[in-house]
Amino acid sequence: VSDADGLKENVLNEKTGWIVKKRSSKAIYEKINFVLSLKRKEHNKIRKSAISRVKEQFSIINQKKLFVDFYNE
């Protein structure tokens, strides 16, 4: 994900994915090459962390509560 507003909050850099500088094709290119060079064990670790984070932090119930709380403020 890029470091654009509203996106980087969804990813824990180097734990559940990677954040790159927005509008930087060079940064994206370098990060893609880095990710492709990862050993399967490291790739699976990141993947499992990302799946776990989505299930815990971004469930429908949790998102509904956040929206209700936001609009009730």
Side-chain angles (χ1 to χ4, degrees), residues 8-69:
K8 63 185 175 186
E9 292 81 8
N10 296 321
V11 173
L12 302 176
N13 194 39
E14 298 185 11
K15 293 182 181 166
T16 62
W18 295 271
I19 300 172
V20 297
K21 184 172 175 59
K22 67 180 174 182
R23 297 190 178 127
S24 174
S25 57
K26 181 179 179 187
I28 294 169
Y29 168 81
E30 289 172 351
K31 193 56 69 177
I32 289 171
N33 281 329
F34 169 76
V35 171
L36 290 173
S37 74
L38 289 175
K39 297 197 183 309
R40 182 172 296 274
K41 183 178 178 180
E42 184 62 24
H43 178 267
N44 284 336
K45 179 181 172 187
I46 297 284
R47 184 179 60 83
K48 287 177 183 178
S49 294
I51 290 168
S52 177
R53 178 171 164 75
V54 167
K55 286 180 179 178
E56 293 171 11
Q57 301 293 318
F58 301 100
S59 69
I60 295 296
I61 293 168
N62 192 39
Q63 293 302 301
K64 179 182 171 185
K65 181 183 179 323
L66 290 172
F67 279 117
V68 169
D69 291 348

